[in-house]
Amino acid sequence: MAQAAATPASGKVVIRNVGLMLSGDIDQPILQADTIVIDDGLITAVGKEADCDISQPNVVIDARATCVCPGLIDSHVHPVFGDWTPRQNQLGWIDSTMNGGVTTMISAGEVHLPGRPKDIVGLKALAITAQRAFDAFRPGGVKVLAGAPVLEKGMVEQDFEDLAKSGVKLLGEVGLGSVKAGEEAHRMVAWARKHGIQSTIHTGGPSIPGSGLIDKDVVLEADADIIGHINGGHTALPLAHVCELCEKSTRGIEIVHNGNERIAIEAARAAIALKCPHRIILGTDGPAGSGVQPLGILRMIALLSSLGGVPAEQAFCFATGNTARMRNLNCGLMEPGRAADFVFMDRAQHTAGRTLLESVQLGDIPGVGMVMIDGIVRCGRSRNTPPATEIPVVL
Ligand SMILES: [Zn+2]
């Protein structure tokens, strides 16, 4: 079920015969390249084989003309500990999600922990413990960036300084705790930002009994770095308010699987109409009441491409390079110096699409043939996607 804490070094890895190289960069989503060279988990070259130093590799992978894309990033998850979630009493959900092409997950708060502490010392201790635990334990090799405290009334600037010094880099969704007023949230978000902690705000109706509505005025006043699930988690704000958020805020526009699908499409359209597609990032908001969706990010890409009219190669950028840039991650883009985290995909067997990108634009999800994290193969043919027509082989 799970693997390895420490990452063993990959050595030199050469990936050749790539049929379609997706870059993760929304300004240039497709690269004219067929080869990737990796050294100890980092990309050292991307280009045509004749232009790359492919000598003396430890591992060679023949991509067999399939697509290689930066590993998908789920911008919004709620992990607890290990590869277990109490939300739907499920084991192995992170490893299962890796089989859906996700190589990095970002916690929006460990809110499902039974008996989650709400006093300030307790919430800080939980955040630090979660950060440490997931840093040292990576189910399926997935990088789970966790330790995201939920804001509660009474927190002072010193608390944010303490958290930052202890290695906490994220806030849990603002609005899930007792801090729900715009002015109070703004003050704490600013303290977090001052100390290098990134913030996300819950947007829309309550997710579970006991949580509350966060409306557009609170989202704008709080000014968190990410407008979390702008399409609701699950219940969305009215469309006009979602458009107003896209227009008046410059922050990240996060669209999630466990939200309102119609508003997901409309939010993407609004961001594109405003000429800021680089602000769109994708999450699942899982595990959730609707379950755990290991293919949630791929399904969002297919949804936005097929019904939202977004070219498939751009939709992949929403879940890779956009998220990496917005959240300062060393992955998500196909360029030297970045982490060698990749998903190998091909058109699913018997899709009506003639190519991978066409199949996604028709609403089918791709078949995953291999997932690599830090230059190490973490799975071959996915146990969760429909079977890929062709899969890469390790030579
Ligand atoms: Zn939420």
Side-chain angles (χ1 to χ4, degrees):
M1 168 185 102
Q3 276 189 27
T7 309
S10 72
K12 181 169 180 176
V13 181
V14 172
I15 301 170
R16 50 182 303 273
N17 196 17
V18 176
L20 173 66
M21 189 83 76
L22 295 180
S23 69
D25 178 1
I26 194 117
D27 294 323
Q28 192 193 352
I30 298 175
L31 296 179
Q32 299 307 315
D34 59 14
T35 301
I36 307 169
V37 184
I38 298 156
D39 195 20
D40 283 345
L42 297 178
I43 302 170
T44 56
V46 182
K48 293 284 188 191
E49 185 169 325
D51 301 326
C52 296
D53 173 12
I54 59 169
S55 63
Q56 297 182 306
N58 300 90
V59 179
V60 177
I61 293 169
D62 179 353
R64 293 172 69 99
T66 61
C67 167
V68 182
C69 178
L72 307 177
I73 305 168
D74 186 336
S75 174
H76 192 130
V77 295
H78 293 292
V80 172
F81 282 107
D83 202 354
W84 165 69
T85 173
R87 190 74 174 93
Q88 300 297 346
N89 283 328
Q90 195 168 326
L91 291 169
W93 70 280
I94 297 172
D95 185 78
S96 223
T97 304
M98 183 272 292
N99 273 259
V102 171
T103 55
T104 295
M105 291 179 167
I106 300 166
S107 175
E110 295 76 36
V111 291
H112 299 152
L113 179 77
R116 168 171 67 91
K118 295 179 179 161
D119 64 294
I120 293 168
V121 170
L123 74 87
K124 286 162 67 179
L126 170 60
I128 295 163
T129 305
Q131 187 275 328
R132 295 289 190 283
F134 279 106
D135 192 49
F137 178 70
R138 289 172 40 182
V142 175
K143 298 166 180 174
V144 183
L145 310 179
V150 173
L151 297 184
E152 300 287 356
K153 283 179 178 296
M155 291 180 78
V156 296
E157 183 175 352
Q158 186 66 46
D159 294 315
F160 295 86
E161 193 179 332
D162 293 346
L163 285 163
K165 279 187 177 154
S166 306
V168 170
K169 296 187 170 69
L170 300 162
L171 289 189
E173 271 176 75
V174 178
L176 292 189
S178 54
V179 174
K180 296 186 195 307
E183 182 277 325
E184 198 175 21
H186 177 87
R187 189 164 13 106
M188 294 192 186
V189 161
W191 284 331
R193 186 173 291 132
K194 179 177 166 190
H195 293 284
I197 297 175
Q198 203 176 58
S199 53
T200 298
I201 190 161
H202 175 96
T203 308
S207 47
I208 51 168
S211 70
L213 165 73
I214 301 291
D215 67 18
K216 70 164 170 62
D217 296 319
V218 174
V219 173
L220 286 171
E221 187 172 4
D223 194 33
D225 297 308
I226 308 291
I227 305 171
H229 54 61
I230 195 165
N231 60 319
H234 292 76
T235 309
L237 296 174
L239 175 58
H241 293 191
V242 169
C243 292
E244 193 177 328
L245 287 176
C246 291
E247 199 172 338
K248 287 191 176 166
S249 164
T250 58
R251 303 297 185 182
I253 296 169
E254 185 188 76
I255 300 174
V256 302
H257 186 271
N258 283 291
N260 178 315
E261 287 163 289
R262 176 169 173 263
I263 300 295
I265 292 164
E266 296 292 352
R269 284 187 176 144
I272 290 165
L274 289 164
K275 302 210 182 322
C276 42
H278 58 281
R279 287 170 59 200
I280 305 172
I281 61 178
L282 303 184
T284 54
D285 197 3
S290 289
V292 175
Q293 300 94 12
L295 306 182
I297 297 295
L298 286 175
R299 286 171 55 82
M300 290 301 295
I301 289 167
L303 175 85
L304 295 175
S305 185
S306 61
L307 296 180
V310 179
E313 65 273 22
Q314 286 183 26
F316 279 103
C317 300
F318 298 164
T320 53
N322 277 8
T323 322
R325 283 180 172 150
M326 199 148 285
R327 292 183 172 280
N328 304 317
L329 304 177
N330 185 37
C331 59
L333 287 159
M334 198 66 83
E335 60 188 27
R338 299 266 175 180
D341 300 350
F342 307 126
V343 53
F344 294 67
M345 298 174 288
D346 196 14
R347 54 199 279 276
Q349 291 176 13
H350 301 290
T351 173
R354 287 162 302 175
T355 64
L356 169 77
L357 296 177
E358 187 181 284
S359 73
V360 173
Q361 279 156 206
L362 291 175
D364 283 331
I365 56 171
V368 168
M370 181 180 281
V371 175
M372 171 179 279
I373 302 177
D374 293 325
I376 295 166
V377 176
R378 306 295 174 151
C379 75
R381 192 188 282 287
S382 167
R383 67 173 188 258
N384 290 329
T385 65
T389 303
E390 189 61 77
I391 62 169
V393 289
V394 180
L395 298 177

